[in-house]
Amino acid sequence: MEVCLIIMKAKIVIHQQHAQNPQELTELCPFGAIEYMNGQLNINAACKMCKLCVKNGPVGVFELIEKQQVEIDKTQWRGIAVYVENTNGVIHPVTYELIGKAIELSKKIAHPVYAVFIGSQIKEQANELLYWGVDAVYVYDQPEFASFRIEPYAAAFEDFILQASPSTILVGGTTLGRSLAPRVAARFGTGLTADCTHLEMQANTDLDQIRPAFGGNIMAHIRTPNHRPQFATVRYKIFSAPQRRDARSGTLITRELPSEKLVSNIRVLSLKNKPAIVSIEDAQVIVVAGRGVRKKQDMAMLQSLAERLSGQVAATRPLIEAGWVDARCQIGLSGRTVSPQLLIACGVSGSVQFSAGMTGSQHIVAINIDPNAPIFKIAHIGLVGDLYEIIPLLLERMEAGMHSKQTSHLPFPENVVK
Amino acid sequence: MNIIVCIKQVPSTSDVKIDEKTGSLIRDGVESKMNPYDLFALETALQMKQQVGANITVLSMGPPQVQDIINEAYLMGDVEGAILSDRCMAGADCLATSFALSQCIQRIGLPDLVICGKQTTDGDTAQVGAEIAEFLHIPHITNVLKIDDIKEKSIIVESDLPDITQTVELQFPALISVEKDIVQPRLPSYKRKRSLPSLHVRSFNRNDLADKDEEKYGLNGSPTRVVRIFPPEKTRKTELVQGNSTELADKFYETLAEWKFV
Ligand SMILES: Cc1cc2nc3c(=O)[nH]c(=O)nc-3n(C[C@H](O)[C@H](O)[C@@H](O)COP(=O)(O)OP(=O)(O)OC[C@H]3O[C@@H](n4cnc5c(N)ncnc54)[C@H](O)[C@@H]3O)c2cc1C
Ligand code: SF4
């Protein structure tokens, strides 16, 4: 038997007559929500329902009144759905990462996995999705979906939910996903948890979601206990993509929306490609510059290290703000999340805001003069020293290493004369 | 043109501590300020006012202390204030926040344009804007990078999508949420402080709204529940290497070789 969580609605009632020192009682609340005015204790809108006043206050003053709420029938909602993020039909890789996660979550509760694909002329790509282990792909392929406009996209998503009644919906935490998911979640009056970094399924189909908040200074464990579907967004590179399968499986379900669902008050005038730089999310090796780098010119040194390793240069926020490095190469909570094979942090202190965007890296090397720098808590190898000395020496060694490798390939090493 | 700018009060620092025993946030003595992302929303509105003329109302939901950030907004430019404060709205998640704000916006009168910040520095979800738009049944564009043109009944903006930027014309009434750096927010003018008493602020509570159902606001109206908050874990065995630079460079090179990068 599974244990059902009974959802309570709660409120705190103040019994004024029991309050001995009302003024002092205002101190009980860490959020400053208790106020004493005109001889009355009051709780204002700052209350976070932390219940500390009930727990720590004098007996009988603050009373928690709970009301049981009718629990929804969760068996009516089956399936884990993934929104297929795409630009002109080109599927964004976060989609495969989410499909992988959805399959993993579905095993625990034996639910089907769905993909929701909205776009124009996407038949071929929809077929491709059948190689990734989903049970069904819902395809919305109409010319009105050629460019992203919120009303038609939300209408298609709504249609999918009404058709399939999924229990959980995962959406990539891209700019598009973070515009579409809240719109649809609000339409269904349900919960959406942003930027999850960890997801786990409970037997009763509640999704345990963990996400950073307060700029990465705290982690929050969030649940949507009495609403379906439960929505979560996840950024690119948080989970890893599964292997593409050799054989296709699952079915394509093509849906068509009536024209009145496709109207929009948004007219797309033009689209501009962003300058084609390899995004740092895709780089296998990343050299990160932090405040330990003293001047803009010194970026050249890091650039050559990155080039030697066929990688890319990225930076922490202050350097981006100084304009030394392109803003798209900012790593961290307010920048990108990366998980390369190798990340070399040069003169990076390692604030939580930064590390939130890179802890998934396979191998982390940190160079910092300060042995107490927080970056050393996350690095695999921490070099306590001056990057201005270490990197040139390393480059020398790499140069020498290259030569010795090349010479060793020569059948008759002429330079080795005994 | 009528504009409502939504602004939120957040702790001055996001360096909050957690009470390990109770699992609640300790915000004692932490000052509050306007969510920094909302400065860009407000500046966008103020520039529109300069360009085409507009009435701007800044709206904030929270405890009565949100008056402080309404004042802050007034020091930046000519705005009116609206405060939505009711105990039943405490503990709201994005859905309950957006619902309450949308109710209040309708009470004030649906403007041509609602402008939100990209996200906040506390809850940090970037979801409220799109949810307000849904409740108001108006179109929205998030991640606005640039305002190209303001017309009589529409606005032309550039927005950021994953691989492209899109230029769109958006019919009023509409909602946009703006990227940080879309404009350079002006500094508060201390000259305006003298005229602060003339700042017009309207206060609303649940009874002023069309939908008075207590179940739809605050914690009761929030589908998500914060089960637990905890500090991010930092457990990784680091091999800390000390020595002179030559030794460190040697170690570095050996490590890269061991990991097969060189
Ligand atoms: C640790 C933690 C994690 C949380 N995680 C989630 C979660 O995953 N999902 C969820 O639904 N809720 C979550 N919440 C609750 C949620 O963060 C807020 O309480 C909610 O009220 C506003 O969301 P936000 O701060 O993320 O705003 P955002 O959506 O980031 O704000 C965007 C814009 O909306 C406007 N705005 C936001 N709040 C107000 C306001 N009160 N008054 C006026 N304008 C406003 C501003 O223009 C702002 O720039 C979490 C709270 C905590 C403490
Ligand atoms: S429940 Fe917590 S936040 Fe609310 S009044 Fe009591 S102590 Fe303050």
Side-chain angles (χ1 to χ4, degrees):
Chain A
M1 269 301 286
E2 67 192 43
V3 188
C4 282
L5 182 86
I6 295 165
I7 295 90
M8 298 292 207
K9 299 230 159 178
K11 70 178 179 193
I12 290 167
V13 174
I14 306 180
H15 300 288
Q16 307 278 348
Q17 68 277 18
H18 298 305
Q20 306 279 341
N21 291 312
Q23 188 60 51
E24 258 171 47
L25 294 182
T26 59
E27 306 281 311
L28 277 173
C29 176
F31 302 99
I34 306 178
E35 46 189 45
Y36 183 60
M37 260 169 19
N38 311 327
Q40 285 272 330
L41 276 171
N42 249 321
I43 295 181
N44 70 26
C47 171
K48 297 276 180 287
M49 289 302 288
C50 74
K51 300 173 201 150
L52 279 180
C53 52
V54 181
K55 228 188 290 179
N56 302 340
V59 182
V61 181
F62 298 93
E63 189 195 353
L64 182 70
I65 300 196
E66 289 183 308
K67 190 168 72 180
Q68 210 169 309
Q69 194 194 343
V70 201
E71 206 184 349
I72 60 157
D73 179 4
K74 290 177 186 167
T75 59
Q76 298 295 310
W77 300 87
R78 275 181 58 79
I80 302 179
V82 171
Y83 173 71
V84 180
E85 168 97 42
N86 71 96
T87 306
N88 299 327
V90 180
I91 297 172
H92 192 290
V94 70
T95 308
Y96 301 117
E97 299 171 359
L98 296 185
I99 289 176
K101 185 46 104 178
I103 292 172
E104 186 190 315
L105 295 171
S106 71
K107 293 210 169 110
K108 184 130 183 210
I109 48 175
H111 275 204
V113 172
Y114 304 126
V116 190
F117 198 2
I118 307 170
S120 173
Q121 302 187 329
I122 51 171
K123 300 252 152 38
E124 210 175 293
Q125 294 89 330
N127 259 310
E128 166 63 21
L129 284 168
L130 297 177
Y131 286 96
W132 295 83
V134 299
D135 296 289
V137 184
Y138 281 76
V139 187
Y140 295 84
D141 187 352
Q142 284 172 273
E144 288 83 355
F145 299 127
S147 292
F148 176 63
R149 288 171 310 157
I150 191 65
E151 307 99 317
Y153 269 63
F157 215 134
E158 176 184 2
D159 177 80
F160 161 72
I161 295 171
L162 295 174
Q163 284 298 312
S165 308
S167 172
T168 297
I169 297 176
L170 307 180
V171 180
T174 62
T175 43
L176 191 157
R178 294 175 72 155
S179 174
L180 181 59
R183 182 98 197 191
V184 182
R187 187 160 300 176
F188 286 85
T190 187
L192 167 56
T193 306
D195 278 341
C196 300
T197 53
H198 192 88
L199 295 174
E200 230 157 279
M201 188 57 79
Q202 289 191 18
N204 72 350
T205 73
D206 280 1
L207 187 64
D208 280 312
Q209 306 157 110
I210 297 196
R211 65 168 298 243
F214 286 88
N217 282 295
I218 64 163
M219 304 299 287
H221 176 177
I222 294 177
R223 237 180 250 156
T224 304
N226 205 32
H227 291 77
R228 290 293 183 270
Q230 48 195 338
F231 277 80
T233 59
V234 180
R235 287 216 219 172
Y236 179 32
K237 288 277 175 183
I238 293 288
F239 300 131
S240 40
Q243 283 287 323
R244 184 179 186 271
R245 305 182 180 191
D246 295 331
R248 297 195 316 171
S249 62
T251 48
L252 291 183
I253 298 170
T254 307
R255 301 272 314 159
E256 199 162 315
L257 292 195
S259 56
E260 72 268 17
K261 292 271 182 195
L262 300 169
V263 291
S264 171
N265 277 333
I266 300 170
R267 195 156 60 96
V268 179
L269 303 176
S270 65
L271 302 176
K272 242 191 314 204
N273 281 323
K274 291 187 195 168
I277 55 161
V278 182
S279 70
I280 52 168
E281 284 110 320
D282 295 323
Q284 291 303 313
V285 176
I286 300 179
V287 177
V288 190
R291 251 199 295 213
V293 176
R294 291 194 282 264
K295 11 183 234 308
K296 189 174 180 181
Q297 292 87 303
D298 301 340
M299 291 303 299
M301 175 173 71
L302 302 194
Q303 188 67 48
S304 30
L305 177 57
E307 276 164 21
R308 262 278 135 70
L309 294 161
S310 313
Q312 284 213 45
V313 169
T316 61
R317 188 159 161 173
L319 273 67
I320 303 288
E321 281 174 355
W324 294 4
V325 179
D326 188 297
R328 282 163 296 201
C329 298
Q330 180 183 337
I331 291 179
L333 215 63
S334 50
R336 310 288 170 114
T337 307
V338 296
S339 53
Q341 289 297 318
L342 171 66
L343 185 141
I344 303 176
C346 309
V348 174
S349 67
S351 68
V352 278
Q353 290 79 358
F354 168 75
S355 43
M358 49 69 79
T359 38
S361 309
Q362 287 292 316
H363 300 283
I364 303 171
V365 183
I367 312 175
N368 201 307
I369 299 192
D370 175 9
N372 298 319
I375 190 75
F376 288 135
K377 293 211 177 74
I378 359 169
H380 300 95
I381 298 277
L383 305 172
V384 186
D386 185 353
L387 72 100
Y388 281 90
E389 292 180 14
I390 299 172
I391 294 177
L393 286 171
L394 175 71
L395 286 170
E396 271 174 33
R397 279 160 182 69
M398 290 170 94
E399 187 91 12
M402 289 273 287
H403 284 305
S404 64
K405 229 192 247 161
Q406 270 165 13
T407 46
S408 67
H409 285 307
L410 292 173
F412 304 106
E414 279 145 316
N415 51 346
V416 189
V417 186
K418 285 265 160 78
Chain B
M1 180 182 185
N2 289 315
I3 303 176
I4 292 181
V5 183
C6 296
I7 61 175
K8 185 183 183 186
Q9 192 169 40
V10 297
S12 287
T13 158
S14 54
D15 198 6
V16 288
K17 297 272 171 329
I18 297 167
D19 185 325
E20 300 274 356
K21 268 211 299 277
T22 61
S24 58
L25 289 177
I26 306 172
R27 289 210 230 173
D28 265 330
V30 179
E31 300 276 297
S32 294
K33 63 170 182 188
M34 193 192 310
N35 172 34
Y37 290 93
D38 297 343
L39 294 171
F40 300 97
L42 178 56
E43 179 64 36
T44 302
L46 291 171
Q47 293 191 8
M48 287 180 178
K49 185 185 174 95
Q50 281 167 345
Q51 230 177 310
V52 296
N55 298 313
I56 304 174
T57 303
V58 289
L59 165 63
S60 190
M61 179 182 93
Q65 294 88 309
V66 297
Q67 175 75 49
D68 295 348
I69 61 167
I70 304 274
N71 292 350
E72 225 180 289
Y74 181 79
L75 296 186
M76 282 173 66
D78 199 6
V79 299
E80 290 186 11
I83 295 176
L84 177 59
S85 188
D86 193 306
R87 191 190 148 193
C88 82
M89 293 173 191
D93 72 355
C94 290
L95 189 82
T97 299
S98 315
F99 181 71
L101 288 170
S102 70
Q103 284 284 316
C104 196
I105 289 169
Q106 279 166 315
R107 171 63 211 263
I108 296 166
L110 187 63
D112 299 300
L113 192 62
V114 180
I115 309 181
C116 286
K118 174 185 176 154
Q119 65 192 69
T120 61
T121 51
D122 58 350
D124 206 347
T125 64
Q127 291 172 178
V128 168
E131 298 202 335
I132 293 175
E134 170 64 19
F135 287 123
L136 293 175
H137 307 289
I138 60 175
H140 79 257
I141 298 278
T142 58
N143 302 88
V144 171
L145 298 163
K146 196 161 163 273
I147 309 288
D148 282 347
D149 197 9
I150 307 160
K151 301 190 183 175
E152 178 96 20
K153 290 198 168 66
S154 68
I155 183 170
I156 297 177
V157 303
E158 267 170 53
S159 81
D160 187 34
L161 287 178
D163 298 307
I164 50 176
T165 58
Q166 209 183 34
T167 303
V168 298
E169 179 168 8
L170 189 59
Q171 295 297 323
F172 294 145
L175 180 145
I176 59 173
S177 71
V178 299
E179 278 286 341
K180 140 181 176 304
D181 296 336
I182 176 173
V183 284
Q184 178 67 44
R186 67 196 67 190
L187 293 170
S189 142
Y190 289 95
K191 264 203 233 129
R192 293 186 59 82
K193 215 167 195 168
R194 259 178 283 138
S195 58
L196 199 55
S198 71
L199 162 61
H200 180 59
V201 181
R202 282 182 285 173
S203 289
F204 301 97
N205 60 33
R206 178 169 51 96
N207 286 324
D208 299 313
L209 307 178
D211 194 329
K212 299 181 174 53
D213 184 356
E214 213 182 339
E215 301 285 289
K216 292 193 178 146
Y217 297 98
L219 192 69
N220 285 345
S222 296
T224 65
R225 284 285 181 278
V226 179
V227 181
R228 187 168 77 97
I229 51 180
F230 54 98
E233 51 192 281
K234 296 178 197 118
T235 44
R236 179 166 276 165
K237 267 224 162 343
T238 303
E239 186 187 339
L240 207 58
V241 194
Q242 315 227 7
N244 66 36
S245 297
T246 315
E247 286 159 2
L248 293 176
D250 283 338
K251 173 71 190 175
F252 197 170
Y253 186 73
E254 282 160 25
T255 308
L256 291 183
E258 192 186 314
W259 290 340
K260 304 205 165 46
F261 288 104
V262 291

